[in-house]
C-alpha cells in the first residue's frame, strides 16, 4: 500500500490508521497505565498511524472513569511512554483530545455538575444530567486548555493531536442547535455556532506554531448527523467541513459505524456520506474514512470512495497484527472474531474487556456470540452518542 504525505511533510508509511478506541484503563487521576502502553505497543509497527484514545484537556471535561488526562504538566511523563509505544517501527502517533461537556455526570466529575454550551440535557441516554451553561470566562479557559494540551502532546513526543469534535462531546455540542441555544458570540445561526470550534482550532494551531520544532499534525473528527430535532443535519455538516477545508487542520476524520452509510435522517438520499464529504473537501484536506472495515478489500473500497486514509477501530482491537499479516500475504490468519480466551494475549486491559462485553457485545463479533451477524450497517454506532436507530 502506498505511503501518504501530509502537506506539513509528515509521511505515513501506508494509508491504514487505527481509529481511537478508548481502553478505560488510565489511573484514577488520568495518568497512563502499563496496561495502556501494552495495548498500543501490541498494535503499533505495521500501521501508518495510530490515533490514541481520547484524553481530557481540563478536569471539567472528564467524560468517563479510566479516561486519559492531558490536563496537567504532570501527565507528560506517562504520555511520553505512551507515544513511544505507539511509534514503534515508524508508526505515527496522534492523540485525540477533548472536553466531554454534557456527556458526563456529577459522579465522574467528583460532585460537580457537567457543563455545556447551554443548560440543556441530552435526550440519550435517558438518565443524562442537565448541564450548567458555561460562562464566557470558562469558555475562554477551555479554549486555552486545548492549546495547553497541544503543547503537552508536543512535549510528550506525539506526531499530532486530533480535536474530538464528534460523538456529541463539547465541540459538537457547541455546533449543534440541539445543545447550543446561546445568545452571545458563541451561539446563534449555523456560522455563529462554529465559533467555538474555530477558536479551539486556532488555540491548538498557535501552540503548534509556538512549541513544535518538527511537523506536527492537527486533525478534526466530526459526526456527520444527529437524529434529535433540532439537531445537526448533513447540510450543516457540509458547511462545517467547508470551514475545516479552509482552516489550519491537516486532516478531517469522520465518525461512523459504517463507511458506506447514507443519511440517517433523509432516507431518500442514497449517496454515501463519505462521498459527500470528499466532494465538499475537494482535495483541500485529506479525509479519513472509517466504519466496519475488516478485510483488505473493505479498506480498498473506502479508498475507492476517494478518501486518502482508512481507519479501523474494532478490527484493530481484534487483530493487532492486521497490517503485518496483510503485508506478509497471511490474510487467512487475520482474526475477524474476538475470543474471550484470547483477551490477555491481545493485551486488552481488563476494564476494556468489561466494556467490550457490555455496551459493545453485539458489534464486537465474539466467537461466543450466537448472533454475530449483528452490525452497525446503516445505523448509528453506540459511540456516536445517541441511541441506536433500529
Ligand atoms: C471500545 C471502543 C472505544 C472507542 N473509543 C473512541 C474514542 O475514544 N474516541 C473516538 O472518537 N471514537 C471512539 N470509538 C469509535 C471508533 O473510533 C470508531 O469510529 C468506531 O468503532 C467505528 O469504526 P469500526 O467499525 O472500525 O470499529 C470507540 C469504539 C470502540 C469500539
Amino acid at each position: 500500500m502506498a505511503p501518504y504525505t501530509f502537506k506539513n511533510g509528515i509521511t505515513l508509511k501506508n494509508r491504514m490508521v487505527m481509529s481511537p478506541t478508548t481502553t478505560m484503563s488510565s489511573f484514577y487521576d488520568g495518568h497512563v497505565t502499563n496496561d495502556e502502553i501494552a495495548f498500543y505497543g501490541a498494535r503499533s509497527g505495521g500501521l501508518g498511524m495510530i490515533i490514541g484514545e481520547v484524553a481530557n484537556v481540563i478536569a471539567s471535561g472528564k467524560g468517563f472513569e479510566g479516561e486519559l488526562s492531558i490536563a496537567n504538566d504532570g501527565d507528560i511523563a506517562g504520555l511520553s511512554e505512551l507515544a513511544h509505544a505507539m511509534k514503534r517501527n515508524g508508526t505515527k502517533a496522534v492523540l485525540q483530545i477533548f472536553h466531554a461537556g454534557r456527556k458526563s455526570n456529577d459522579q465522574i466529575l467528583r460532585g460537580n455538575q457537567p457543563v455545556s454550551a447551554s443548560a440543556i440535557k441530552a435526550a440519550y441516554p435517558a438518565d443524562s444530567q442537565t448541564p450548567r451553561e458555561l460562562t464566557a470566562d470558562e469558555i475562554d479557559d477551555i479554549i486555552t486548555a486545548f492549546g495547553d494540551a497541544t503543547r503537552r502532546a508536543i512535549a510528550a513526543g506525539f506526531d499530532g493531536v486530533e480535536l474530538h469534535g464528534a460523538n456529541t462531546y463539547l465541540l459538537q455540542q457547541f455546533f449543534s442547535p440541539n445543545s447550543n441555544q446561546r445568545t452571545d458570540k458563541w451561539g446563534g445561526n449555523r456560522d455563529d455556532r462554529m465559533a467555538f470550534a474555530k477558536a479551539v482550532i486556532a488555540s491548538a494551531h498557535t501552540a503548534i506554531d509556538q512549541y513544535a520544532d518538527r511537523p506536527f499534525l492537527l486533525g478534526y473528527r466530526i459526526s456527520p448527523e444527529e437524529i434529535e430535532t433540532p439537531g445537526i443535519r448533513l447540510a450543516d455538516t457540509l458547511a462545517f467541513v467547508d470551514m475545516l477545508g479552509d482552516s489550519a487542520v491537516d486532516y478531517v476524520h469522520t465518525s461512523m459505524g459504517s463507511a458506506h452509510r447514507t443519511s440517517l435522517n433523509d432516507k431518500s438520499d442514497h449517496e454515501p456520506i463519505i462521498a459527500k464529504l470528499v466532494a465538499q473537501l475537494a482535495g483541500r484536506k485529506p479525509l479519513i474514512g472509517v466504519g466496519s472495515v475488516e478485510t483488505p478489500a473493505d479498506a480498498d473500497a473506502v479508498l475507492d470512495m476517494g478518501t486518502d486514509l482508512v481507519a479501523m477501530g474494532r478490527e484493530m482491537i481484534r487483530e493487532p497484527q492486521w497490517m503485518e499479516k496483510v503485508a506478509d500475504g497471511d490474510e487467512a490468519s487475520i482474526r475477524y472474531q474476538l475470543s474471550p480466551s484470547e483477551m490477555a494475549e491481545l493485551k486488552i486491559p481488563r476494564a476494556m474487556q468489561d466494556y467490550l462485553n457490555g455496551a459493545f457485545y453485539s458489534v464486537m463479533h465474539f466467537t461466543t456470540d450466537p448472533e454475530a451477524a449483528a452490525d452497525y450497517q446503516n445505523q448509528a454506532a453506540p459511540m456516536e452518542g445517541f441511541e441506536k436507530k433500529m
Side-chain angles (χ1 to χ4, degrees), residues 187-211:
N189 65 23
R190 179 160 77 195
D191 282 347
D192 296 334
R193 283 182 277 106
M194 292 184 202
F196 181 67
K198 287 182 188 168
V200 168
I201 292 169
S203 176
H205 183 60
T206 303
I208 294 169
D209 266 357
Q210 203 173 340
Y211 299 106

Side-chain angles (χ1 to χ4, degrees), residues 157-385:
F158 285 97
D159 297 300
V161 291
E162 176 175 287
L163 303 173
H164 195 353
N167 299 357
T168 72
Y169 293 117
L170 189 67
L171 276 158
Q172 184 175 335
Q173 289 162 30
F174 267 90
F175 183 51
S176 170
N178 182 280
S179 36
N180 184 353
Q181 292 176 12
R182 298 180 73 97
T183 52
D184 63 3
K185 67 172 181 175
W186 302 112
N189 65 23
R190 179 160 77 195
D191 282 347
D192 296 334
R193 283 182 277 106
M194 292 184 202
F196 181 67
K198 287 182 188 168
V200 168
I201 292 169
S203 176
H205 183 60
T206 303
I208 294 169
D209 266 357
Q210 203 173 340
Y211 299 106
D213 55 4
R214 58 187 190 273
F216 189 86
L217 293 168
L218 178 60
Y220 199 103
R221 191 166 209 198
I222 54 156
S223 282
E225 280 176 294
E226 291 175 341
I227 55 174
E228 298 92 345
T229 303
I232 295 171
R233 297 294 179 263
L234 280 181
D236 302 314
T237 293
L238 294 179
F240 192 87
V241 163
D242 199 43
M243 178 277 284
L244 290 179
D246 292 333
S247 76
V249 307
D250 295 293
Y251 71 82
V252 179
H253 183 188
T254 183
S255 173
M256 286 189 289
S258 164
H260 301 276
R261 187 161 95 195
T262 53
S263 174
L264 293 172
N265 292 298
D266 180 359
K267 297 290 178 200
S268 67
D269 183 347
H270 299 299
E271 187 183 24
I273 293 171
I274 285 191
K276 292 179 193 289
L277 299 178
V278 167
Q280 190 73 357
L281 284 168
R284 286 175 292 172
K285 307 286 176 189
L287 179 69
I288 307 182
V290 70
S292 298
V293 172
E294 297 179 0
T295 65
D298 292 341
D300 286 339
V302 178
L303 290 172
D304 286 347
M305 282 197 282
T307 70
D308 304 273
L309 302 164
V310 188
M312 294 185 295
R314 289 168 297 151
E315 182 56 16
M316 281 309 298
I317 298 174
R318 292 186 286 252
E319 182 49 89
Q321 297 297 302
W322 193 94
M323 197 66 225
E324 288 83 346
K325 289 182 177 182
V326 173
D328 288 350
D330 184 20
E331 289 174 30
S333 77
I334 294 178
R335 294 173 175 91
Y336 294 115
Q337 285 182 286
L338 185 58
S339 164
S341 61
E342 288 182 345
M343 293 285 203
E345 185 186 333
L346 297 173
K347 307 281 187 221
I348 299 175
R350 201 163 291 279
M352 188 185 204
Q353 293 180 24
D354 287 348
Y355 191 45
L356 300 179
N357 271 310
F360 284 90
Y361 187 81
S362 64
V363 293
M364 279 313 298
H365 304 173
F366 273 94
T367 51
T368 48
D369 182 0
E371 293 173 39
D375 216 330
Y376 296 136
Q377 290 164 14
N378 213 34
Q379 311 162 356
M383 230 351 153
E384 292 184 67

